[in-house]
Amino acid sequence: MQQMQRWQAGRVTARRQAPRLLRAMREQGWPRLAEMDDAHRRTLEAEIFKNTGGAASWTKCLPGWVDDLRLYTVVRAQTAPATPAAAADEAAVRAALVAQCTACDRNGWVLDDADDGPMRRCTHPGVTAGTGSGR
């Protein structure tokens, strides 16, 4: 906790909060600290500090942020793919779906007549990467 990038806890704060963090990590299925690489540590830190807006004292808020640690499987599923090639493949599939979908515009926003409603991302109903004729 004293070596985090975004905020470094002091000695006393780290001593008090480390057991709480380790317990939350174990309960939420996170890897052990000894098994984590730098990318995992950055992900953990980002998860702890995801809702810091309006916090006057991070030291006082830290216990709540640690207690609110999400399941590792959820966090891992929401992070970017591990390799650039996987990210490029995913982007190509997403672009193909958008190009073939008739329910959305070229940016993936749902085409509807509700000008007063919020814009919504399209789920591309009935379209798969191998179907459709494109635009």
Side-chain angles (χ1 to χ4, degrees):
M1 296 185 96
Q2 290 183 291
Q3 297 176 0
M4 291 185 188
Q5 298 299 314
R6 190 166 174 194
W7 177 76
Q8 297 80 36
R11 184 178 61 87
V12 173
T13 301
R15 183 175 288 171
R16 286 185 190 147
Q17 298 306 318
R20 176 183 232 129
L21 176 59
L22 293 173
R23 186 173 41 255
M25 289 173 62
R26 184 179 60 245
E27 291 170 358
Q28 296 298 90
W30 284 75
R32 299 170 47 113
L33 285 176
E35 300 166 355
M36 287 185 159
D37 59 9
D38 289 340
H40 279 101
R41 286 188 184 95
R42 284 190 301 270
T43 301
L44 175 62
E45 184 175 342
E47 179 62 22
I48 292 170
F49 297 121
K50 72 181 181 291
N51 293 321
T52 58
S57 171
W58 284 27
T59 302
K60 290 182 181 178
C61 294
L62 185 60
W65 294 336
V66 167
D67 289 345
D68 199 31
L69 189 65
R70 292 187 299 169
L71 289 169
Y72 178 69
T73 55
V74 172
V75 173
R76 193 175 90 201
Q78 293 178 352
T79 58
T83 63
D89 290 344
E90 184 178 318
V93 168
R94 189 170 39 252
L97 289 174
V98 169
Q100 297 167 15
C101 184
T102 59
C104 66
D105 66 11
R106 64 182 182 166
N107 297 315
W109 295 105
V110 172
L111 296 172
D112 58 15
D113 295 328
D115 291 337
D116 295 332
M119 293 178 69
R120 295 175 295 136
R121 282 288 180 192
C122 186
T123 59
H124 316 298
V127 180
T128 62
T131 65
S133 60
R135 290 190 182 140

